[in-house]
Amino acid sequence: MAIRDLKITPEQIARKGVIASPDTLTGTPDENKNVFDRLAREIIVPSVNGAIEMLGQVEDDTVQWESDEQARKLAEQERVSAEKGRAAAEQTRVQAEQERANADGLRTTAEEKRVAAEQARSIAEQERVHAENSRVAAEQEREVAEQGRKAAEEARAQTERDRMLWETYSAIKNYVPGNKVEHGGSSYVNIAPCTGIAPPNSAHWQLVAARGKDGDGAGDMIKAVYDPTGKEQDIFAYSVPQTRTINKKPLSADVTLTGEDIKVTGSDETTIHTRLSEITNPNLLDNWYFGNPVNQRAASEYSGSWSYCIDRWVAEGIITVGKEGVSASSRDASNPAYFLQRFEHFPDGRQVTFS
């Protein structure tokens, strides 16, 4: 019901008012009073009370609305605050997502670098293993070469011993060039290997000193030797003419040659003793004179990776041995040439200079 529906109409006044009563009241006093009160009681009071009730409801609704509005404002404030928090949280989430993406990018880059480093490490390890294998192979070649050098040195020493050996000829002995024998009172040196071929066969033996005439003493080796004092002495000696000398020393007696008696070359009168005294920095390397190096393999060119070439030297690249010396060149642009020798007995405690 609307509040306007409570308005008192003229019809209601006409129906309930005093005007609707007889002009002369014939009822009791109470009945007559009721006639005057009927408009107020039946029309005015219900309308006013209805209006008041509606206004009270409106007041109650207003109070409730204000309360609801206050709650709504608080809720709205909370919503706004929550929205700000949500926006901040969203911004934080976006930033965290960006950081996560950046971290993923960094992680991907780091992983790529790790993979590249691992690949480089693997390649380096392969190269190290290859280098180690090459070093072991080179060391084995060096050991083989060293054994060959020792064998060659032993053969040379044996040859030298054979050359220095001087004995009575034997028909069952194998003779090699340089062996010296006494046979029939004369001395011979072997010039071609033989067994059972006795001197003076000129195809195998060269006469060193022929047997002289027998003297008065016993034995073939006794003879009269001229003495500058004018006397003759019986001595045991090989028959060597008195005029023969070595470095101006007569061969009439045992001769000891020293560095002061031997010249450097046929054209250089400087003695070995003098020349050695001029050397202040002896070379620490073996087989260092490349003008005439020891080259047991007798090759003019060596090519390989850290392999032996001329004696005691290891090379990487191409090594050429010629009359002018030894040269080294690289096999390609990525592999430069190296030429090295290891010191096995380094002079500890001494100051040395490399050049």
Side-chain angles (χ1 to χ4, degrees):
M1 176 182 291
I3 193 170
R4 289 185 177 83
D5 293 338
L6 296 177
K7 291 194 302 183
I8 300 172
T9 63
E11 289 81 5
Q12 289 174 325
I13 294 173
R15 191 173 63 253
K16 299 293 184 179
V18 177
I19 193 170
S21 299
D23 294 335
T24 301
L25 299 175
T26 59
T28 64
D30 291 334
E31 291 176 347
N32 292 337
K33 291 179 180 179
N34 287 334
V35 170
F36 288 100
D37 295 335
R38 184 173 58 184
L39 179 62
R41 184 176 64 251
E42 293 183 5
I43 300 301
I44 297 175
V45 170
S47 296
V48 172
N49 288 341
I52 292 173
E53 187 65 28
M54 286 185 178
L55 292 174
Q57 185 64 41
V58 170
E59 185 179 21
D60 291 342
D61 291 342
T62 301
V63 172
Q64 183 64 40
W65 177 85
E66 290 178 352
S67 177
D68 292 343
E69 182 64 15
Q70 186 64 28
R72 187 194 65 76
K73 289 181 179 180
L74 292 176
E76 179 65 14
Q77 291 175 355
E78 291 178 356
R79 187 196 66 77
V80 171
S81 177
E83 179 63 18
K84 292 180 180 179
R86 186 199 65 75
E90 178 65 14
Q91 186 175 1
T92 301
R93 185 197 66 77
V94 171
Q95 184 177 358
E97 180 67 17
Q98 184 63 39
E99 292 176 354
R100 185 195 65 77
N102 293 338
D104 287 342
L106 293 176
R107 184 190 62 78
T108 301
T109 302
E111 180 65 15
E112 292 173 350
K113 290 181 179 179
R114 187 197 65 77
V115 171
E118 180 64 19
Q119 292 174 347
R121 186 201 64 78
S122 178
I123 293 174
E125 179 64 15
Q126 293 174 357
E127 292 178 350
R128 186 197 66 78
V129 171
H130 176 70
E132 180 66 15
N133 292 337
S134 298
R135 186 195 65 78
V136 172
E139 185 65 19
Q140 291 174 348
E141 291 183 1
R142 188 195 67 78
E143 292 177 357
V144 171
E146 181 65 14
Q147 292 173 358
R149 188 193 66 80
K150 289 181 178 178
E153 179 63 19
E154 180 60 28
R156 186 200 63 77
Q158 183 61 44
T159 302
E160 183 66 16
R161 289 193 293 270
D162 292 340
R163 189 183 68 81
M164 297 300 295
L165 179 64
W166 199 305
E167 61 184 2
T168 301
Y169 172 77
S170 171
I172 61 174
K173 181 177 176 65
N174 297 323
Y175 290 101
V176 296
N179 292 162
K180 301 175 185 65
V181 298
E182 179 274 327
H183 183 65
S186 297
S187 301
Y188 300 89
V189 60
N190 184 273
I191 58 174
C194 65
T195 304
I197 302 176
N201 188 309
S202 61
H204 297 274
W205 300 98
Q206 179 179 338
L207 179 65
V208 176
R211 175 182 176 176
K213 295 181 180 180
D214 293 342
D216 296 333
D220 291 341
M221 299 303 293
I222 295 178
K223 65 182 285 280
V225 179
Y226 172 77
D227 189 325
T229 62
K231 299 179 180 180
E232 288 188 353
Q233 302 179 16
D234 289 337
I235 63 171
F236 289 93
Y238 286 106
S239 176
V240 179
Q242 291 294 312
T243 57
R244 290 194 177 183
T245 62
I246 181 169
N247 282 15
K248 300 180 181 181
K249 288 190 174 184
L251 299 179
S252 58
D254 290 341
V255 176
T256 300
L257 296 178
T258 66
E260 295 176 342
D261 304 310
I262 304 174
K263 296 186 296 182
V264 175
T265 65
S267 60
D268 188 348
E269 295 293 332
T270 306
T271 64
I272 292 178
H273 171 75
T274 301
R275 181 55 51 85
L276 289 177
S277 67
E278 297 171 353
I279 300 177
T280 58
N281 296 309
N283 204 314
L284 298 178
L285 298 173
D286 294 327
N287 193 19
W288 57 269
Y289 181 57
F290 296 152
N292 184 24
V294 179
N295 185 16
Q296 294 192 60
R297 294 176 177 81
S300 60
E301 182 176 287
Y302 298 91
S303 177
S305 178
W306 298 116
S307 58
Y308 277 90
C309 49
I310 64 173
D311 291 18
R312 307 288 292 166
W313 287 91
V314 176
E316 160 69 28
I318 300 174
I319 304 302
T320 304
V321 182
K323 295 181 179 180
E324 302 299 325
V326 178
S327 63
S329 59
S330 60
R331 287 180 287 121
D332 53 69
S334 61
N335 291 286
Y338 293 95
F339 194 51
L340 63 87
Q341 181 181 132
R342 295 183 176 88
F343 286 113
E344 295 183 355
H345 305 290
F346 195 81
D348 295 336
R350 291 173 53 194
Q351 182 175 354
V352 299
T353 300
F354 291 93
S355 64

